[in-house]
Amino acid sequence: MKKVRVLLLMALLSVMTMSLTSCEDDDHYYGSVVGVWELESDEYGFVSDIDIDKYAFYPDGTGVYGCYDNRGVWISDIPFLWSYGWAGPGSICIDFGGADEYYYYFDFDGPYLMLSEDPHFRSWLSYRRVPN
């Protein structure tokens, strides 16, 4: 009788383990990029103040961008259009008009928005959400 209980317990544990891990990669939720995001770091660490830029993604597919120019003057409210999915889930296209289109993969690391041109995120930009 003791062997039967042990076998049943082992079977139950294996079924529970399979049910907890079977859909791990199937339904990855990427979340929404809507909001205002400021660059904080890249794969090398924190960026300098002059390298900080900011994206404001609005729900209607528009947005504005801000950055420092080569003289250290902040330039803001550069308009762009954006859309999800140019390469499937977890991808975003940012279109500044003309030939200025940027294609990124995105994901979230806790509260941070991660953007990368590499689908494996070997290089990345890490943005934190800011009020505006």
Side-chain angles (χ1 to χ4, degrees), residues 19-41:
S19 69
L20 291 175
T21 60
S22 65
C23 297
E24 185 175 318
D25 293 328
D26 294 343
D27 295 323
H28 183 82
Y29 176 71
Y30 288 97
S32 173
V33 300
V34 171
V36 181
W37 301 91
E38 184 175 270
L39 181 62
E40 185 172 276
S41 63

Side-chain angles (χ1 to χ4, degrees), residues 66-79:
C67 64
Y68 289 100
D69 68 9
N70 57 4
R71 295 170 296 161
V73 176
W74 182 256
I75 301 171
S76 63
D77 297 333
I78 302 167

Side-chain angles (χ1 to χ4, degrees), residues 33 37 41-42 90 104-110 112-116 121 124-127:
V33 300
W37 301 91
S41 63
D42 59 18
Y104 291 109
Y105 296 94
F106 74 92
D107 205 346
F108 293 91
D109 183 13
Y112 295 95
L113 169 64
M114 312 297 286
L115 296 179
S116 179
F121 287 83
W124 67 87
L125 300 171
S126 179
Y127 289 82

